[in-house]
Amino acid sequence: MFGKNIVITISGGFASRNILRSGVLDNLLNAGSKIILFSPQEKADYYQKEFGNKNVLIIGLPPLKEGFVEAMIKFLARNSVRTEISLSLQKEHLLSAVNPLNLISFLLKRLIGFLGFLPGFFEFVRFLDFYLVSEKTEILRILKEVNPDIVFATHVIDEFDASILREAKRLCIKTIGMVRSWDNLTGHGLVRELPDKLLLHSPWLFRIAKNLHRIPEKKLEIIGIPQYDTFFRKDFLISRDKFLSIIGLRPDNRIVLFAAISTDFAPYEWEIPEIIHNSIENGSLPQNVVVIARPHPNCGVPQNFRQQGQYLKIDTPAKYVGSSTSNWEQEKDDINHFANLLYHADVVVTGASTISMDAAIFDRPIINYAFDGYHKEVPYYQSVLRCYEKYTHYIAMVKTGGVRLVYSPEELIEWIKKYLDNPELDHEGRQRIIKEFAGFTDGRSAERISLAILRS
């Protein structure tokens, strides 16, 4: 295989972590390829500083304009894949502001979901998307200028990537795509622009793509999760004593890692580390336990959260480009820090999050809070509880038996104590998580992605 001219879409922090910093970019460059990174305009300078060189060209694209026709087709695509999570999100939106317009929108969404069961409906939506959405002239112009052999879309559900895929297909350029995360195919609607080949993390995503999105099997390939390669190889690890020293803890401290999922899904989630901290303070948990609270990179720490406590530390999940938390980046030191934090944690407490999969790789006990802090009367479609009962991908996670749901502060503290005493509890379930959702455990997923691109 010879090097190629390859366009890679980098819509944000997830894509740069998964592709640029996982080994995929290095592998393609080592094969003699020339890389053109398409990124949002506001991040182009940032990527230029880290990745730009004679073989890597960074092109920043301005915000894409969306016309009425495209908005309507996107509405069709968003609601045509009927799943537990799509139905829940529709209900959540309706209840957020009950008015005639929202009610009409809700009923239309439900109708579109039923139409999605009809043979040929998905193909019809994709036909409309390709032929009726107007050209993105700036993307077309740049694609003609750089004349790539292939376009690699790293997040096929995203509007940024879908637009680039559409214009590449109009120019008859070969395309390959990837699903960014395990929840994308159940909760984000239809893949509007199918690439020639679609790369998937795991057997679970393969089944979803084939059976739910009705994508032909010949277009699908399981490659694993590239950002987990170093997790499986464990080539980043430092000793526990050294790591604890770096983060300011004593050698005898035990870590309960709290990982937030966003107040959109768990409005009172920041009361969870407070509950754990108070339980250490009052003696319900051992005095050598420390809570390390890690915000979701998109959200940061709520302003009203008490950030200081004898048994509490705040972890920084990422670096930020500009003032918006949505423009986050996890550089290699951030990635290695988080991996060490997971590896040396004694218990991981999180919501319906990919963090559960991260923790399972290191066989760390996983507790999922299914209650809303100190609040007992939260409406169901605002409560974190809905995530475990209505969100398709996480229903599958719970079924593995690898995560422990707790429904009260008392149950949370009880299970932290149990896992501190016996971390082997639920080991078999955590192994099922890896088998079902991680795809490969050999640390070579970045290599598989690179090979799939080069042989396309």
Side-chain angles (χ1 to χ4, degrees), residues 33-238:
S33 297
K34 305 288 185 181
I35 307 298
I36 306 100
L37 300 182
F38 280 13
S39 82
Q41 200 167 55
E42 66 269 21
K43 282 209 171 174
D45 288 343
Y46 172 82
Y47 292 133
Q48 177 66 38
K49 289 176 184 176
E50 183 174 353
F51 302 107
N53 58 53
K54 66 178 182 178
N55 293 318
V56 180
L57 173 67
I58 289 87
I59 298 177
L61 298 178
L64 302 174
K65 295 180 181 179
E66 180 181 272
F68 176 78
V69 171
E70 183 174 2
M72 292 301 99
I73 294 171
K74 192 164 79 171
F75 184 79
L76 276 177
R78 179 78 185 183
N79 296 287
S80 60
V81 181
R82 185 181 169 93
T83 60
E84 297 98 329
I85 187 172
S86 67
L87 296 177
S88 181
L89 293 172
Q90 291 165 10
K91 191 74 171 286
E92 291 167 36
H93 182 257
L94 172 65
L95 295 176
S96 67
V98 181
N99 55 52
L101 187 61
N102 261 6
L103 179 59
I104 293 170
S105 174
F106 174 78
L107 294 174
L108 282 173
K109 291 171 183 177
R110 291 296 164 99
L111 174 60
I112 293 166
F114 282 114
L115 292 175
F117 290 121
L118 296 176
F121 186 76
F122 289 174
E123 289 79 4
F124 175 66
V125 173
R126 290 175 180 133
F127 176 87
L128 295 177
D129 190 83
F130 185 77
Y131 287 102
L132 296 188
V133 173
S134 58
E135 292 180 350
K136 309 289 186 188
T137 54
E138 182 68 3
I139 295 174
L140 269 177
R141 180 187 66 79
I142 295 170
L143 284 174
K144 288 177 180 177
E145 283 182 7
V146 300
N147 191 28
D149 298 301
I150 189 165
V151 168
F152 174 36
T154 60
H155 184 15
V156 292
I157 288 286
D158 187 74
E159 180 61 30
F160 182 84
D161 287 55
S163 296
I164 294 165
L165 273 175
R166 186 185 305 112
E167 304 311 328
K169 290 167 68 175
R170 285 170 173 166
L171 293 173
C172 298
I173 299 169
K174 289 182 179 179
T175 57
I176 189 165
M178 185 172 169
V179 175
R180 187 193 74 185
S181 181
W182 65 311
D183 65 337
N184 288 175
L185 295 186
T186 55
H188 295 249
L190 185 68
V191 179
R192 289 157 56 191
E193 291 295 338
L194 283 183
D196 298 319
K197 176 72 72 173
L198 182 61
L199 306 181
L200 303 162
H201 292 163
S202 66
W204 186 79
L205 267 179
F206 184 94
R207 293 193 299 271
I208 295 294
K210 178 183 175 183
N211 300 327
L212 191 62
H213 286 251
R214 301 195 284 274
I215 300 174
E217 191 170 331
K218 64 183 180 180
K219 283 182 172 284
L220 306 176
E221 183 176 346
I222 300 173
I223 45 79
I225 304 179
Q227 67 267 28
Y228 287 163
D229 282 357
T230 56
F231 284 26
F232 287 118
R233 292 198 304 263
K234 295 182 173 59
D235 52 12
F236 59 87
L237 289 180
I238 60 178

Side-chain angles (χ1 to χ4, degrees), residues 258-264 266-273 296 299 351 369 373:
F258 164 78
I261 62 172
S262 164
T263 52
D264 290 340
Y268 303 104
E269 64 178 345
W270 280 92
E271 292 181 3
I272 304 299
H296 190 287
C299 304
Y369 47 89

Side-chain angles (χ1 to χ4, degrees), residues 166-359:
R166 186 185 305 112
E167 304 311 328
K169 290 167 68 175
R170 285 170 173 166
L171 293 173
C172 298
I173 299 169
K174 289 182 179 179
T175 57
I176 189 165
M178 185 172 169
V179 175
R180 187 193 74 185
S181 181
W182 65 311
D183 65 337
N184 288 175
L185 295 186
T186 55
H188 295 249
L190 185 68
V191 179
R192 289 157 56 191
E193 291 295 338
L194 283 183
D196 298 319
K197 176 72 72 173
L198 182 61
L199 306 181
L200 303 162
H201 292 163
S202 66
W204 186 79
L205 267 179
F206 184 94
R207 293 193 299 271
I208 295 294
K210 178 183 175 183
N211 300 327
L212 191 62
H213 286 251
R214 301 195 284 274
I215 300 174
E217 191 170 331
K218 64 183 180 180
K219 283 182 172 284
L220 306 176
E221 183 176 346
I222 300 173
I223 45 79
I225 304 179
Q227 67 267 28
Y228 287 163
D229 282 357
T230 56
F231 284 26
F232 287 118
R233 292 198 304 263
K234 295 182 173 59
D235 52 12
F236 59 87
L237 289 180
I238 60 178
S239 72
R240 182 178 178 86
D241 285 355
K242 182 176 180 180
F243 181 71
L244 293 182
S245 175
I246 289 171
I247 62 175
L249 297 183
R250 303 189 313 268
D252 67 324
N253 279 134
R254 306 186 76 182
I255 296 172
V256 173
L257 170 61
F258 164 78
I261 62 172
S262 164
T263 52
D264 290 340
F265 303 109
Y268 303 104
E269 64 178 345
W270 280 92
E271 292 181 3
I272 304 299
E274 183 180 326
I275 289 168
I276 303 170
H277 174 272
N278 292 345
S279 297
I280 304 167
E281 211 167 41
N282 67 28
S284 298
L285 286 171
Q287 299 290 297
N288 66 341
V289 172
V290 175
V291 186
I292 296 184
R294 182 179 173 88
H296 190 287
N298 276 346
C299 304
V301 181
Q303 289 184 348
N304 61 350
F305 180 67
R306 183 187 69 175
Q307 297 191 31
Q308 294 182 1
Q310 182 180 356
Y311 307 103
L312 174 67
K313 284 183 172 289
I314 303 295
D315 191 58
T316 302
K319 297 177 177 68
Y320 294 93
V321 182
S323 57
S324 172
T325 55
S326 63
N327 275 342
W328 59 267
E329 290 288 329
Q330 288 182 339
E331 298 177 357
K332 288 191 175 180
D333 60 329
D334 302 304
I335 294 167
N336 288 342
H337 166 77
F338 179 50
N340 272 284
L341 180 56
L342 277 170
Y343 183 76
H344 293 298
D346 295 279
V347 180
V348 175
V349 178
T350 188
S353 167
T354 308
I355 297 292
S356 294
M357 201 187 314
D358 300 345

